[in-house]
Amino acid sequence: LQWYGGIFQGSDDTRMGSLTWDQAAFSGPPRAIARLAREQGIGLLTVEQPYVGRNLPEHQDLESRGYLVRQCETCPPVYLTDNPWWGKGGMIDFTNPDAGSYWHDLKRQPLIDAGILGHWTDLGEPEAYDPEGWYWGVADAEGVRHEHSEVHNLYNFLWSRSIFDGYQRNAIAQRPFILS
């Protein structure tokens, strides 16, 4: 988790969800990634969670696009506070393919371009969630399901799918390595 630094328990100011390198702890990541690959044959993967700290610009961006799990279809995003080891904030709605595509291209693709070879989608159960949360949804023969209980078992699959789709869309020849 420390690759993006600043995980503050119980705080809206957590860096959870920034998916950007903590430059104080990890200076020059692309050079270091290339050096590890070249000199030691080591490929790196980064860990990410579906949570985004409430005070991050990423949270405001995702909220403005409707890409966070919401309290209801027309409501603001859920505000997760019950398990605040990572901080407090919202959760990306990976049931919305546009949210998954946007997040991949905004956050993961620069990591892939820098040499990251794999993705650890941690806490995709998801660990913390609002049981009353409203999701973009998944369709079945009976219609679109928006409730958490209806998407719970598909959530991490759809998150992983956003990675696979991103590799395809961005013409990344390498097969994605996903640890869930």
Side-chain angles (χ1 to χ4, degrees):
L1 300 180
Q2 299 311 316
W3 76 272
Y4 41 80
I7 305 302
F8 301 116
Q9 182 173 346
S11 174
D12 289 339
D13 294 319
T14 183
R15 298 281 306 149
M16 178 69 82
S18 67
L19 297 191
T20 55
W21 294 97
D22 176 353
Q23 294 295 320
F26 302 95
S27 63
R31 286 189 314 276
I33 293 167
R35 182 180 47 76
L36 287 168
R38 181 180 62 253
E39 294 176 8
Q40 299 178 41
I42 294 174
L44 298 180
L45 65 100
T46 53
V47 62
E48 65 178 89
Q49 295 77 20
Y51 309 116
V52 182
R54 190 177 198 179
N55 286 345
L56 286 176
E58 289 87 349
H59 188 283
Q60 283 74 40
D61 180 32
L62 293 169
E63 180 178 358
S64 73
R65 296 171 187 278
Y67 292 165
L68 295 173
V69 176
R70 295 180 255 170
Q71 297 167 2
C72 72
E73 183 173 7
T74 59
C75 295
V78 298
Y79 180 47
L80 300 172
T81 62
D82 289 344
N83 188 8
W85 65 265
W86 58 270
K88 299 185 293 188
M91 187 167 113
I92 300 169
D93 186 354
F94 286 110
T95 70
N96 182 337
D98 292 337
S101 295
Y102 180 75
W103 193 246
H104 182 88
D105 292 347
L106 179 70
K107 292 297 183 173
R108 279 190 223 102
Q109 192 59 47
L111 296 169
I112 294 164
D113 293 343
I116 291 298
L117 298 179
H119 313 276
W120 176 9
T121 59
D122 191 23
L123 307 177
E125 300 84 16
E127 179 187 80
Y129 59 90
D130 182 339
E132 303 301 319
W134 188 94
Y135 294 75
W136 186 80
V138 293
D140 65 13
E142 298 176 24
V144 179
R145 307 294 182 146
H146 299 285
E147 298 81 25
H148 179 81
S149 61
E150 299 288 345
V151 305
H152 182 80
N153 291 329
L154 291 172
Y155 185 83
N156 204 31
F157 169 77
L158 295 170
W159 184 3
S160 293
R161 175 94 189 239
S162 76
I163 295 170
F164 173 80
D165 290 345
Y167 273 64
Q168 297 294 307
R169 184 177 56 260
N170 294 312
I172 303 300
Q174 179 174 332
R175 180 178 175 205
F177 179 87
I178 303 169
L179 174 66
S180 293

